[in-house]
Amino acid sequence: MTTETLLLAVGALTLAGFVQGLTGFGFGMTAMSLLPLVLSLVDAQAIVTLTSSAACLLMAAVTLRDVPWSSLPRLWLGTIVGVPIGFALLESLPRTMITRVLGLMLCTMVLFEFVVTRRTSLRWPSWLEPIVGLGSGILTGAFNIGGPPLVACIYSHPWPKEKRVAGLTAVFLSGGLIRVSLLLRYNELPAEAWTASAWALV
């Protein structure tokens, strides 16, 4: 990785971290929109997994007291099941197809954000939560962009912003840690990913 590429990658990750800190979500979507422009998809995925997990750890340290623990088990269950499924899909498909699907999913997630998340004020029923968690987990496992379904679900609760952000952080962290363990298991965390992630965390 050249110095120029490293600086561009760190810049993209810094912007993603700012978005995550401001809103409680959006790290994966922002980073995965920008990093594949300067890195391979494999490297981008590895770096985003490491840095988003680290960002969630930092956020968790700040928001831990506000986590609505009793309201998250269904979302957690779906996420825990979904991440390995999404990762398996990623591993089984050709990289060119993955890149096209990633672009399509990013566009879909932006549309979802504007059409569903911002215009729906109804409370989502609790029976939908495992399905939302599963869908979010699959998107996280495959592309690191599992935020919008979780955001729409959690923001439908009449909670203060602090609880919403804390709940999102807790679920994102669990999905991120599972993805890190899968990347470690399959030796898909190259040294360059650790280097870029370390610079971005600073």
Side-chain angles (χ1 to χ4, degrees):
M1 183 182 297
T2 65
T3 302
E4 181 183 358
T5 301
L6 178 62
L7 290 174
L8 289 171
V10 169
L13 293 166
T14 302
L15 177 60
F18 173 77
V19 171
Q20 177 83 12
L22 185 67
T23 64
F25 62 96
F27 188 99
M29 287 185 63
T30 305
M32 288 307 298
S33 297
L34 299 173
L35 281 181
L37 298 174
V38 295
L39 299 171
S40 71
L41 183 62
V42 173
D43 287 343
Q45 291 272 24
I47 291 169
V48 172
T49 299
L50 289 174
T51 51
S52 62
S53 297
C56 284
L57 275 172
L58 293 172
M59 287 285 291
V62 176
T63 63
L64 187 63
R65 66 183 181 277
D66 295 313
V67 176
W69 300 105
S70 62
S71 302
L72 296 179
R74 295 183 186 91
L75 290 172
W76 259 324
L77 178 62
T79 299
I80 290 168
V81 173
V83 171
I85 294 173
F87 189 82
L89 289 172
L90 175 70
E91 293 295 299
S92 64
L93 295 174
R95 294 300 176 196
T96 52
M97 181 182 294
I98 289 295
T99 303
R100 290 172 183 163
V101 173
L102 171 61
L104 176 63
M105 292 310 299
L106 284 168
C107 292
T108 302
M109 291 298 99
V110 170
L111 185 63
F112 182 90
E113 169 71 13
F114 281 103
V115 174
V116 178
T117 305
R118 294 183 183 274
R119 298 188 181 184
T120 302
S121 58
L122 296 176
R123 170 78 182 272
W124 289 33
S126 58
W127 60 265
L128 265 181
E129 290 178 358
I131 300 170
V132 172
L134 180 66
S136 176
I138 291 171
L139 289 169
T140 297
F143 306 113
N144 282 309
I145 57 168
L150 281 177
V151 172
C153 184
I154 285 182
Y155 271 65
S156 77
H157 289 270
W159 300 336
K161 182 179 179 180
E162 292 77 12
K163 281 197 171 185
R164 291 171 172 173
V165 171
L168 284 170
T169 299
V171 179
F172 289 155
L173 180 58
S174 61
L177 293 177
I178 293 170
R179 200 173 197 289
V180 168
S181 67
L182 290 168
L183 289 172
L184 287 171
R185 168 70 178 80
Y186 291 96
N187 297 314
E188 293 187 11
L189 284 176
E192 290 184 343
W194 292 99
T195 302
S197 298
W199 278 104
L201 289 176
V202 173

mmCIF file with all atom_site columns, all heavy atoms in Angstrom, residues 129-152:
data_model
loop_
_atom_site.group_PDB
_atom_site.id
_atom_site.type_symbol
_atom_site.label_atom_id
_atom_site.label_alt_id
_atom_site.label_comp_id
_atom_site.label_asym_id
_atom_site.label_entity_id
_atom_site.label_seq_id
_atom_site.pdbx_PDB_ins_code
_atom_site.Cartn_x
_atom_site.Cartn_y
_atom_site.Cartn_z
_atom_site.occupancy
_atom_site.B_iso_or_equiv
_atom_site.pdbx_formal_charge
_atom_site.auth_seq_id
_atom_site.auth_comp_id
_atom_site.auth_asym_id
_atom_site.auth_atom_id
_atom_site.pdbx_PDB_model_num
ATOM 1   N N   . GLU A 1 129 ? -38.571 -8.178  14.668 1.00 0.00 ? 129 GLU A N   1
ATOM 2   C CA  . GLU A 1 129 ? -37.206 -7.883  15.072 1.00 0.00 ? 129 GLU A CA  1
ATOM 3   C C   . GLU A 1 129 ? -36.206 -8.985  14.719 1.00 0.00 ? 129 GLU A C   1
ATOM 4   O O   . GLU A 1 129 ? -35.098 -8.684  14.249 1.00 0.00 ? 129 GLU A O   1
ATOM 5   C CB  . GLU A 1 129 ? -37.160 -7.540  16.558 1.00 0.00 ? 129 GLU A CB  1
ATOM 6   C CG  . GLU A 1 129 ? -37.815 -6.195  16.838 1.00 0.00 ? 129 GLU A CG  1
ATOM 7   C CD  . GLU A 1 129 ? -37.845 -5.832  18.311 1.00 0.00 ? 129 GLU A CD  1
ATOM 8   O OE1 . GLU A 1 129 ? -37.378 -6.644  19.141 1.00 0.00 ? 129 GLU A OE1 1
ATOM 9   O OE2 . GLU A 1 129 ? -38.331 -4.736  18.623 1.00 0.00 ? 129 GLU A OE2 1
ATOM 10  N N   . PRO A 1 130 ? -36.522 -10.278 14.912 1.00 0.00 ? 130 PRO A N   1
ATOM 11  C CA  . PRO A 1 130 ? -35.555 -11.301 14.483 1.00 0.00 ? 130 PRO A CA  1
ATOM 12  C C   . PRO A 1 130 ? -35.303 -11.271 12.973 1.00 0.00 ? 130 PRO A C   1
ATOM 13  O O   . PRO A 1 130 ? -34.176 -11.516 12.520 1.00 0.00 ? 130 PRO A O   1
ATOM 14  C CB  . PRO A 1 130 ? -36.210 -12.622 14.898 1.00 0.00 ? 130 PRO A CB  1
ATOM 15  C CG  . PRO A 1 130 ? -37.207 -12.255 15.935 1.00 0.00 ? 130 PRO A CG  1
ATOM 16  C CD  . PRO A 1 130 ? -37.675 -10.876 15.588 1.00 0.00 ? 130 PRO A CD  1
ATOM 17  N N   . ILE A 1 131 ? -36.335 -10.937 12.184 1.00 0.00 ? 131 ILE A N   1
ATOM 18  C CA  . ILE A 1 131 ? -36.187 -10.864 10.731 1.00 0.00 ? 131 ILE A CA  1
ATOM 19  C C   . ILE A 1 131 ? -35.314 -9.672  10.354 1.00 0.00 ? 131 ILE A C   1
ATOM 20  O O   . ILE A 1 131 ? -34.431 -9.766  9.491  1.00 0.00 ? 131 ILE A O   1
ATOM 21  C CB  . ILE A 1 131 ? -37.569 -10.774 10.056 1.00 0.00 ? 131 ILE A CB  1
ATOM 22  C CG1 . ILE A 1 131 ? -38.402 -12.013 10.400 1.00 0.00 ? 131 ILE A CG1 1
ATOM 23  C CG2 . ILE A 1 131 ? -37.436 -10.625 8.542  1.00 0.00 ? 131 ILE A CG2 1
ATOM 24  C CD1 . ILE A 1 131 ? -39.858 -11.926 9.992  1.00 0.00 ? 131 ILE A CD1 1
ATOM 25  N N   . VAL A 1 132 ? -35.551 -8.534  11.018 1.00 0.00 ? 132 VAL A N   1
ATOM 26  C CA  . VAL A 1 132 ? -34.728 -7.349  10.788 1.00 0.00 ? 132 VAL A CA  1
ATOM 27  C C   . VAL A 1 132 ? -33.277 -7.640  11.161 1.00 0.00 ? 132 VAL A C   1
ATOM 28  O O   . VAL A 1 132 ? -32.340 -7.312  10.425 1.00 0.00 ? 132 VAL A O   1
ATOM 29  C CB  . VAL A 1 132 ? -35.261 -6.148  11.596 1.00 0.00 ? 132 VAL A CB  1
ATOM 30  C CG1 . VAL A 1 132 ? -34.290 -4.970  11.526 1.00 0.00 ? 132 VAL A CG1 1
ATOM 31  C CG2 . VAL A 1 132 ? -36.629 -5.731  11.082 1.00 0.00 ? 132 VAL A CG2 1
ATOM 32  N N   . GLY A 1 133 ? -33.088 -8.282  12.318 1.00 0.00 ? 133 GLY A N   1
ATOM 33  C CA  . GLY A 1 133 ? -31.738 -8.631  12.752 1.00 0.00 ? 133 GLY A CA  1
ATOM 34  C C   . GLY A 1 133 ? -31.056 -9.569  11.769 1.00 0.00 ? 133 GLY A C   1
ATOM 35  O O   . GLY A 1 133 ? -29.867 -9.408  11.463 1.00 0.00 ? 133 GLY A O   1
ATOM 36  N N   . LEU A 1 134 ? -31.818 -10.536 11.251 1.00 0.00 ? 134 LEU A N   1
ATOM 37  C CA  . LEU A 1 134 ? -31.263 -11.481 10.276 1.00 0.00 ? 134 LEU A CA  1
ATOM 38  C C   . LEU A 1 134 ? -30.834 -10.754 9.001  1.00 0.00 ? 134 LEU A C   1
ATOM 39  O O   . LEU A 1 134 ? -29.725 -10.955 8.491  1.00 0.00 ? 134 LEU A O   1
ATOM 40  C CB  . LEU A 1 134 ? -32.293 -12.562 9.949  1.00 0.00 ? 134 LEU A CB  1
ATOM 41  C CG  . LEU A 1 134 ? -31.867 -13.623 8.937  1.00 0.00 ? 134 LEU A CG  1
ATOM 42  C CD1 . LEU A 1 134 ? -30.741 -14.480 9.502  1.00 0.00 ? 134 LEU A CD1 1
ATOM 43  C CD2 . LEU A 1 134 ? -33.060 -14.500 8.540  1.00 0.00 ? 134 LEU A CD2 1
ATOM 44  N N   . GLY A 1 135 ? -31.715 -9.898  8.482  1.00 0.00 ? 135 GLY A N   1
ATOM 45  C CA  . GLY A 1 135 ? -31.382 -9.152  7.269  1.00 0.00 ? 135 GLY A CA  1
ATOM 46  C C   . GLY A 1 135 ? -30.181 -8.248  7.473  1.00 0.00 ? 135 GLY A C   1
ATOM 47  O O   . GLY A 1 135 ? -29.284 -8.180  6.630  1.00 0.00 ? 135 GLY A O   1
ATOM 48  N N   . SER A 1 136 ? -30.155 -7.565  8.608  1.00 0.00 ? 136 SER A N   1
ATOM 49  C CA  . SER A 1 136 ? -29.026 -6.705  8.915  1.00 0.00 ? 136 SER A CA  1
ATOM 50  C C   . SER A 1 136 ? -27.741 -7.512  9.069  1.00 0.00 ? 136 SER A C   1
ATOM 51  O O   . SER A 1 136 ? -26.676 -7.109  8.593  1.00 0.00 ? 136 SER A O   1
ATOM 52  C CB  . SER A 1 136 ? -29.300 -5.926  10.208 1.00 0.00 ? 136 SER A CB  1
ATOM 53  O OG  . SER A 1 136 ? -28.187 -5.158  10.571 1.00 0.00 ? 136 SER A OG  1
ATOM 54  N N   . GLY A 1 137 ? -27.847 -8.678  9.713  1.00 0.00 ? 137 GLY A N   1
ATOM 55  C CA  . GLY A 1 137 ? -26.677 -9.537  9.887  1.00 0.00 ? 137 GLY A CA  1
ATOM 56  C C   . GLY A 1 137 ? -26.127 -10.030 8.561  1.00 0.00 ? 137 GLY A C   1
ATOM 57  O O   . GLY A 1 137 ? -24.907 -10.059 8.358  1.00 0.00 ? 137 GLY A O   1
ATOM 58  N N   . ILE A 1 138 ? -27.013 -10.409 7.650  1.00 0.00 ? 138 ILE A N   1
ATOM 59  C CA  . ILE A 1 138 ? -26.568 -10.867 6.326  1.00 0.00 ? 138 ILE A CA  1
ATOM 60  C C   . ILE A 1 138 ? -25.849 -9.740  5.584  1.00 0.00 ? 138 ILE A C   1
ATOM 61  O O   . ILE A 1 138 ? -24.785 -9.948  4.986  1.00 0.00 ? 138 ILE A O   1
ATOM 62  C CB  . ILE A 1 138 ? -27.763 -11.401 5.511  1.00 0.00 ? 138 ILE A CB  1
ATOM 63  C CG1 . ILE A 1 138 ? -28.269 -12.718 6.124  1.00 0.00 ? 138 ILE A CG1 1
ATOM 64  C CG2 . ILE A 1 138 ? -27.373 -11.612 4.047  1.00 0.00 ? 138 ILE A CG2 1
ATOM 65  C CD1 . ILE A 1 138 ? -29.564 -13.231 5.537  1.00 0.00 ? 138 ILE A CD1 1
ATOM 66  N N   . LEU A 1 139 ? -26.414 -8.539  5.629  1.00 0.00 ? 139 LEU A N   1
ATOM 67  C CA  . LEU A 1 139 ? -25.773 -7.390  4.977  1.00 0.00 ? 139 LEU A CA  1
ATOM 68  C C   . LEU A 1 139 ? -24.438 -7.041  5.634  1.00 0.00 ? 139 LEU A C   1
ATOM 69  O O   . LEU A 1 139 ? -23.482 -6.667  4.953  1.00 0.00 ? 139 LEU A O   1
ATOM 70  C CB  . LEU A 1 139 ? -26.709 -6.179  5.020  1.00 0.00 ? 139 LEU A CB  1
ATOM 71  C CG  . LEU A 1 139 ? -27.940 -6.257  4.116  1.00 0.00 ? 139 LEU A CG  1
ATOM 72  C CD1 . LEU A 1 139 ? -28.910 -5.126  4.443  1.00 0.00 ? 139 LEU A CD1 1
ATOM 73  C CD2 . LEU A 1 139 ? -27.534 -6.207  2.651  1.00 0.00 ? 139 LEU A CD2 1
ATOM 74  N N   . THR A 1 140 ? -24.374 -7.194  6.950  1.00 0.00 ? 140 THR A N   1
ATOM 75  C CA  . THR A 1 140 ? -23.116 -6.944  7.651  1.00 0.00 ? 140 THR A CA  1
ATOM 76  C C   . THR A 1 140 ? -22.074 -7.997  7.285  1.00 0.00 ? 140 THR A C   1
ATOM 77  O O   . THR A 1 140 ? -20.923 -7.678  6.991  1.00 0.00 ? 140 THR A O   1
ATOM 78  C CB  . THR A 1 140 ? -23.339 -6.946  9.180  1.00 0.00 ? 140 THR A CB  1
ATOM 79  O OG1 . THR A 1 140 ? -24.217 -5.870  9.526  1.00 0.00 ? 140 THR A OG1 1
ATOM 80  C CG2 . THR A 1 140 ? -22.023 -6.787  9.930  1.00 0.00 ? 140 THR A CG2 1
ATOM 81  N N   . GLY A 1 141 ? -22.481 -9.250  7.293  1.00 0.00 ? 141 GLY A N   1
ATOM 82  C CA  . GLY A 1 141 ? -21.555 -10.328 6.977  1.00 0.00 ? 141 GLY A CA  1
ATOM 83  C C   . GLY A 1 141 ? -21.033 -10.257 5.558  1.00 0.00 ? 141 GLY A C   1
ATOM 84  O O   . GLY A 1 141 ? -19.866 -10.564 5.302  1.00 0.00 ? 141 GLY A O   1
ATOM 85  N N   . ALA A 1 142 ? -21.874 -9.827  4.638  1.00 0.00 ? 142 ALA A N   1
ATOM 86  C CA  . ALA A 1 142 ? -21.464 -9.780  3.232  1.00 0.00 ? 142 ALA A CA  1
ATOM 87  C C   . ALA A 1 142 ? -20.778 -8.466  2.854  1.00 0.00 ? 142 ALA A C   1
ATOM 88  O O   . ALA A 1 142 ? -19.787 -8.468  2.127  1.00 0.00 ? 142 ALA A O   1
ATOM 89  C CB  . ALA A 1 142 ? -22.680 -9.999  2.334  1.00 0.00 ? 142 ALA A CB  1
ATOM 90  N N   . PHE A 1 143 ? -21.310 -7.328  3.356  1.00 0.00 ? 143 PHE A N   1
ATOM 91  C CA  . PHE A 1 143 ? -20.853 -6.030  2.840  1.00 0.00 ? 143 PHE A CA  1
ATOM 92  C C   . PHE A 1 143 ? -20.526 -4.981  3.896  1.00 0.00 ? 143 PHE A C   1
ATOM 93  O O   . PHE A 1 143 ? -20.159 -3.869  3.546  1.00 0.00 ? 143 PHE A O   1
ATOM 94  C CB  . PHE A 1 143 ? -21.924 -5.440  1.918  1.00 0.00 ? 143 PHE A CB  1
ATOM 95  C CG  . PHE A 1 143 ? -22.353 -6.339  0.807  1.00 0.00 ? 143 PHE A CG  1
ATOM 96  C CD1 . PHE A 1 143 ? -23.632 -6.862  0.761  1.00 0.00 ? 143 PHE A CD1 1
ATOM 97  C CD2 . PHE A 1 143 ? -21.461 -6.687  -0.204 1.00 0.00 ? 143 PHE A CD2 1
ATOM 98  C CE1 . PHE A 1 143 ? -24.033 -7.692  -0.270 1.00 0.00 ? 143 PHE A CE1 1
ATOM 99  C CE2 . PHE A 1 143 ? -21.852 -7.518  -1.236 1.00 0.00 ? 143 PHE A CE2 1
ATOM 100 C CZ  . PHE A 1 143 ? -23.143 -8.030  -1.273 1.00 0.00 ? 143 PHE A CZ  1
ATOM 101 N N   . ASN A 1 144 ? -20.710 -5.279  5.174  1.00 0.00 ? 144 ASN A N   1
ATOM 102 C CA  . ASN A 1 144 ? -20.502 -4.274  6.230  1.00 0.00 ? 144 ASN A CA  1
ATOM 103 C C   . ASN A 1 144 ? -21.479 -3.110  6.141  1.00 0.00 ? 144 ASN A C   1
ATOM 104 O O   . ASN A 1 144 ? -21.149 -1.989  6.533  1.00 0.00 ? 144 ASN A O   1
ATOM 105 C CB  . ASN A 1 144 ? -19.065 -3.721  6.185  1.00 0.00 ? 144 ASN A CB  1
ATOM 106 C CG  . ASN A 1 144 ? -18.055 -4.662  6.791  1.00 0.00 ? 144 ASN A CG  1
ATOM 107 O OD1 . ASN A 1 144 ? -18.237 -5.129  7.907  1.00 0.00 ? 144 ASN A OD1 1
ATOM 108 N ND2 . ASN A 1 144 ? -17.012 -4.960  6.062  1.00 0.00 ? 144 ASN A ND2 1
ATOM 109 N N   . ILE A 1 145 ? -22.679 -3.333  5.634  1.00 0.00 ? 145 ILE A N   1
ATOM 110 C CA  . ILE A 1 145 ? -23.639 -2.227  5.489  1.00 0.00 ? 145 ILE A CA  1
ATOM 111 C C   . ILE A 1 145 ? -24.994 -2.609  6.075  1.00 0.00 ? 145 ILE A C   1
ATOM 112 O O   . ILE A 1 145 ? -26.043 -2.330  5.495  1.00 0.00 ? 145 ILE A O   1
ATOM 113 C CB  . ILE A 1 145 ? -23.798 -1.799  4.009  1.00 0.00 ? 145 ILE A CB  1
ATOM 114 C CG1 . ILE A 1 145 ? -24.223 -2.977  3.123  1.00 0.00 ? 145 ILE A CG1 1
ATOM 115 C CG2 . ILE A 1 145 ? -22.512 -1.188  3.477  1.00 0.00 ? 145 ILE A CG2 1
ATOM 116 C CD1 . ILE A 1 145 ? -24.659 -2.557  1.737  1.00 0.00 ? 145 ILE A CD1 1
ATOM 117 N N   . GLY A 1 146 ? -24.972 -3.215  7.251  1.00 0.00 ? 146 GLY A N   1
ATOM 118 C CA  . GLY A 1 146 ? -26.222 -3.695  7.838  1.00 0.00 ? 146 GLY A CA  1
ATOM 119 C C   . GLY A 1 146 ? -27.006 -2.672  8.630  1.00 0.00 ? 146 GLY A C   1
ATOM 120 O O   . GLY A 1 146 ? -27.977 -3.012  9.298  1.00 0.00 ? 146 GLY A O   1
ATOM 121 N N   . GLY A 1 147 ? -26.619 -1.402  8.568  1.00 0.00 ? 147 GLY A N   1
ATOM 122 C CA  . GLY A 1 147 ? -27.219 -0.386  9.418  1.00 0.00 ? 147 GLY A CA  1
ATOM 123 C C   . GLY A 1 147 ? -28.671 -0.022  9.166  1.00 0.00 ? 147 GLY A C   1
ATOM 124 O O   . GLY A 1 147 ? -29.479 -0.044  10.095 1.00 0.00 ? 147 GLY A O   1
ATOM 125 N N   . PRO A 1 148 ? -29.058 0.325   7.936  1.00 0.00 ? 148 PRO A N   1
ATOM 126 C CA  . PRO A 1 148 ? -30.401 0.879   7.723  1.00 0.00 ? 148 PRO A CA  1
ATOM 127 C C   . PRO A 1 148 ? -31.572 0.054   8.266  1.00 0.00 ? 148 PRO A C   1
ATOM 128 O O   . PRO A 1 148 ? -32.480 0.647   8.869  1.00 0.00 ? 148 PRO A O   1
ATOM 129 C CB  . PRO A 1 148 ? -30.465 1.036   6.197  1.00 0.00 ? 148 PRO A CB  1
ATOM 130 C CG  . PRO A 1 148 ? -29.049 1.337   5.832  1.00 0.00 ? 148 PRO A CG  1
ATOM 131 C CD  . PRO A 1 148 ? -28.215 0.460   6.731  1.00 0.00 ? 148 PRO A CD  1
ATOM 132 N N   . PRO A 1 149 ? -31.628 -1.274  8.088  1.00 0.00 ? 149 PRO A N   1
ATOM 133 C CA  . PRO A 1 149 ? -32.763 -2.001  8.674  1.00 0.00 ? 149 PRO A CA  1
ATOM 134 C C   . PRO A 1 149 ? -32.822 -1.868  10.197 1.00 0.00 ? 149 PRO A C   1
ATOM 135 O O   . PRO A 1 149 ? -33.901 -1.685  10.770 1.00 0.00 ? 149 PRO A O   1
ATOM 136 C CB  . PRO A 1 149 ? -32.511 -3.459  8.261  1.00 0.00 ? 149 PRO A CB  1
ATOM 137 C CG  . PRO A 1 149 ? -31.615 -3.387  7.074  1.00 0.00 ? 149 PRO A CG  1
ATOM 138 C CD  . PRO A 1 149 ? -30.758 -2.178  7.292  1.00 0.00 ? 149 PRO A CD  1
ATOM 139 N N   . LEU A 1 150 ? -31.650 -1.949  10.858 1.00 0.00 ? 150 LEU A N   1
ATOM 140 C CA  . LEU A 1 150 ? -31.617 -1.787  12.313 1.00 0.00 ? 150 LEU A CA  1
ATOM 141 C C   . LEU A 1 150 ? -32.024 -0.381  12.729 1.00 0.00 ? 150 LEU A C   1
ATOM 142 O O   . LEU A 1 150 ? -32.744 -0.192  13.707 1.00 0.00 ? 150 LEU A O   1
ATOM 143 C CB  . LEU A 1 150 ? -30.211 -2.088  12.838 1.00 0.00 ? 150 LEU A CB  1
ATOM 144 C CG  . LEU A 1 150 ? -29.820 -3.551  12.987 1.00 0.00 ? 150 LEU A CG  1
ATOM 145 C CD1 . LEU A 1 150 ? -28.376 -3.652  13.458 1.00 0.00 ? 150 LEU A CD1 1
ATOM 146 C CD2 . LEU A 1 150 ? -30.735 -4.263  13.964 1.00 0.00 ? 150 LEU A CD2 1
ATOM 147 N N   . VAL A 1 151 ? -31.543 0.608   11.987 1.00 0.00 ? 151 VAL A N   1
ATOM 148 C CA  . VAL A 1 151 ? -31.879 1.998   12.302 1.00 0.00 ? 151 VAL A CA  1
ATOM 149 C C   . VAL A 1 151 ? -33.388 2.205   12.225 1.00 0.00 ? 151 VAL A C   1
ATOM 150 O O   . VAL A 1 151 ? -34.004 2.786   13.125 1.00 0.00 ? 151 VAL A O   1
ATOM 151 C CB  . VAL A 1 151 ? -31.154 2.966   11.341 1.00 0.00 ? 151 VAL A CB  1
ATOM 152 C CG1 . VAL A 1 151 ? -31.646 4.392   11.543 1.00 0.00 ? 151 VAL A CG1 1
ATOM 153 C CG2 . VAL A 1 151 ? -29.642 2.890   11.565 1.00 0.00 ? 151 VAL A CG2 1
ATOM 154 N N   . ALA A 1 152 ? -33.992 1.721   11.148 1.00 0.00 ? 152 ALA A N   1
ATOM 155 C CA  . ALA A 1 152 ? -35.443 1.889   10.980 1.00 0.00 ? 152 ALA A CA  1
ATOM 156 C C   . ALA A 1 152 ? -36.203 1.227   12.123 1.00 0.00 ? 152 ALA A C   1
ATOM 157 O O   . ALA A 1 152 ? -37.170 1.786   12.647 1.00 0.00 ? 152 ALA A O   1
ATOM 158 C CB  . ALA A 1 152 ? -35.874 1.297   9.639  1.00 0.00 ? 152 ALA A CB  1
#
